[in-house]
């Protein structure tokens, strides 16, 4: 075995161990924030099985949350905090202390950088380099951002995944949690939670995740559970079914023409904007066949699969459950 192969295998092993044993354990209570609602999912671990404890969804009045990447999203902190408290009480999670916080995709920037540029550097050096690389792709001061990164070596990728969120955006959500005695021990974006939950453990084929919610559309091309391309479209385009179908079509064309894709093994849809069956029918044309409808409650003991709740709470279900079974 030559030295280069040895180094690659060691790097893969280190990344795998870091992912599995260094990352904090997922909290059993997950909070999902959407533009017009707050959802809470509580699960119970029974041996190797995950059981649904309870779930609740409480609507937010218009204007309480305004999705933005550059400024605080929580415009009415008192109403947002009361709504969150109501959702926690309905889910029987008012006594929780550590929670997962799942935020809408448009509030942060996701990017992919070549891993070779950050290899063999100390953690502080890597973060400095990541911030430098990301500075031109974000509409805020990268020095005032929270940044997280994950090398893709354990997933067979030569890319490093980077997420950056402006501090005022994140702190607005975290402040509401802490006002209720909650510590957001894990913060993730809805699309990332769905990607891991839907595709982790599957063969390394190419797949497309479509996350269509009020105010935005996210399209994630992945190989296995590692993203090749992440697109988030916010605003009026995401509210137009015709425009959404066009964006999905453009993404499939980009996959074929620019990424050399030979064909998607599957496409999976989470629709919290239109009824899932209606959205799947709409997207059958650009995809060549209807996408599979994501239902995170399938196989979860104590849950009744199907219905709108599976989509309105999909991010929280994915985060609390860890993966769909």
């Amino acid at each position: 075995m030559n030295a280069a192969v040895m180094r690659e295998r060691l790097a893969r092993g280190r990344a795998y161990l870091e992912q599995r044993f260094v990352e904090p354990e997922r909290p059993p209570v997950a909070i999902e924030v959407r533009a017009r609602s707050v959802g809470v999912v509580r699960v119970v671990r029974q041996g190797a099985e995950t059981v649904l404890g309870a779930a609740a969804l409480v609507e937010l009045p218009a204007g309480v949350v305004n999705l933005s990447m550059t400024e605080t999203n929580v415009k009415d902190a008192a109403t947002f905090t009361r709504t969150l408290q109501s959702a926690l009480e309905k889910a029987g999670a008012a006594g929780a202390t550590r929670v997962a916080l799942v935020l809408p995709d448009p509030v942060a920037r996701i990017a992919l950088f070549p891993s070779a540029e950050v290899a063999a550097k100390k953690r502080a050096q890597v973060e400095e380099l990541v911030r430098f690389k990301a500075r031109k792709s974000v509409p805020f001061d990268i020095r005032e951002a929270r940044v997280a990164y994950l090398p893709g070596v354990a997933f067979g990728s030569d890319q490093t995944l980077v997420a950056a969120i402006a501090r005022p955006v994140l702190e607005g959500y975290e402040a509401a949690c802490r006002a209720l005695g909650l510590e957001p021990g894990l913060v993730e974006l809805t699309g990332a939670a769905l990607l891991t939950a839907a595709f982790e453990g599957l063969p390394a084929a190419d797949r497309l995740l479509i996350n269509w919610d009020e105010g935005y559309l996210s399209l994630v091309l992945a190989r296995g559970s590692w993203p090749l391309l992440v697109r988030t479209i916010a605003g009026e385009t995401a509210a137009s079914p015709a425009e959404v179908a066009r964006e999905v079509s453009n993404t499939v064309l980009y996959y074929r023409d620019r990424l050399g894709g030979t064909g998607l093994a599957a496409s999976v849809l989470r629709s919290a904007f239109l009824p899932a069956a209606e959205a799947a029918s709409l997207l059958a044309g650009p995809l060549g066949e209807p996408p599979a409808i994501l239902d995170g409650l399938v196989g979860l003991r104590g849950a009744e699969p199907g219905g709108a709740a599976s989509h309105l709470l999909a991010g929280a279900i994915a985060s609390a459950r860890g993966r769909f079974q």
Side-chain angles (χ1 to χ4, degrees):
M1 183 184 300
N2 62 41
V5 173
M6 174 89 62
R7 286 195 297 271
E8 180 181 355
R9 290 189 178 181
L10 287 172
R12 285 174 179 263
R14 183 175 66 249
Y16 178 85
L17 290 172
E18 287 178 351
Q19 181 193 10
R20 296 298 180 189
F21 300 114
V22 176
E23 288 184 354
E25 182 181 356
R26 287 181 177 272
V29 174
I31 298 166
E32 180 175 5
V33 180
R34 299 175 56 250
R36 293 295 300 275
S37 70
V38 176
V40 174
V41 170
R42 177 174 58 86
V43 297
V44 180
R45 315 292 187 190
Q46 293 184 357
E49 190 175 21
T50 301
V51 178
L52 178 65
L57 184 76
V58 181
E59 291 187 0
L60 281 168
V64 173
V65 168
N66 180 29
L67 303 185
S68 170
M69 198 181 294
T70 58
E71 59 185 33
T72 183
N73 291 192
V74 181
K75 301 301 183 181
D76 183 343
T79 299
F80 182 80
T81 302
R82 284 196 302 272
T83 305
L84 173 57
Q85 184 174 24
S86 176
L88 289 163
E89 290 172 351
K90 290 177 184 294
T97 55
R98 187 170 173 271
V99 298
L101 181 58
V102 185
L103 301 178
D105 293 342
V107 308
R109 176 76 79 207
I110 297 289
L112 290 159
F113 298 130
S115 290
E117 299 182 9
V118 300
K121 295 183 183 294
K122 295 180 180 179
R123 186 176 183 86
Q125 294 175 317
V126 172
E127 181 164 334
E128 183 178 353
L129 179 59
V130 164
R131 287 179 180 273
F132 178 78
K133 296 285 292 183
R135 75 192 192 287
K136 292 183 178 180
S137 64
V138 299
F140 48 80
D141 187 346
I142 195 64
R143 295 171 297 181
E144 297 301 320
R146 298 271 188 91
V147 175
Y149 61 91
L150 177 65
V153 62
F155 301 85
S157 172
D158 60 359
Q159 300 282 299
T160 291
L161 182 67
V162 177
I165 184 170
R167 287 184 185 274
V169 173
L170 180 57
E171 288 172 354
Y173 292 115
E174 289 184 330
C177 291
R178 293 188 174 117
L180 298 175
L182 305 172
E183 180 59 34
L186 174 69
V187 179
E188 57 187 334
L189 297 178
T190 302
L194 296 176
L195 176 67
T196 301
F199 297 156
E200 187 179 29
L202 297 181
D206 295 346
R207 299 177 179 84
L208 175 65
L209 171 69
I210 303 162
N211 177 29
W212 190 6
D213 204 342
E214 184 174 351
Y216 74 94
L217 167 75
S218 288
L219 302 166
V220 185
L221 279 166
R223 182 160 295 156
S225 59
W226 184 260
L228 302 175
L229 174 71
V230 180
R231 298 183 64 210
T232 298
I233 301 107
E236 294 181 0
T237 297
S240 166
E243 290 295 329
V244 166
R246 186 175 294 111
E247 292 295 343
V248 171
S249 178
N250 289 340
T251 300
V252 173
L253 288 173
Y254 184 89
Y255 163 71
R256 292 172 179 164
D257 297 343
R258 299 293 298 275
L259 298 181
T262 57
L264 294 171
S267 55
V268 176
L269 167 69
R270 179 270 182 120
S271 180
F273 182 77
L274 288 180
E278 182 180 340
S281 177
L282 170 76
L283 300 178
L287 291 170
E289 61 181 4
I293 295 176
L294 185 154
D295 190 340
L297 294 173
V298 170
L300 183 61
R301 190 156 66 85
E304 296 183 6
S310 177
H311 291 264
L312 299 176
L313 292 166
I317 295 167
S319 185
R321 185 174 185 177
R323 72 172 70 181
F324 296 138
Q325 299 170 342

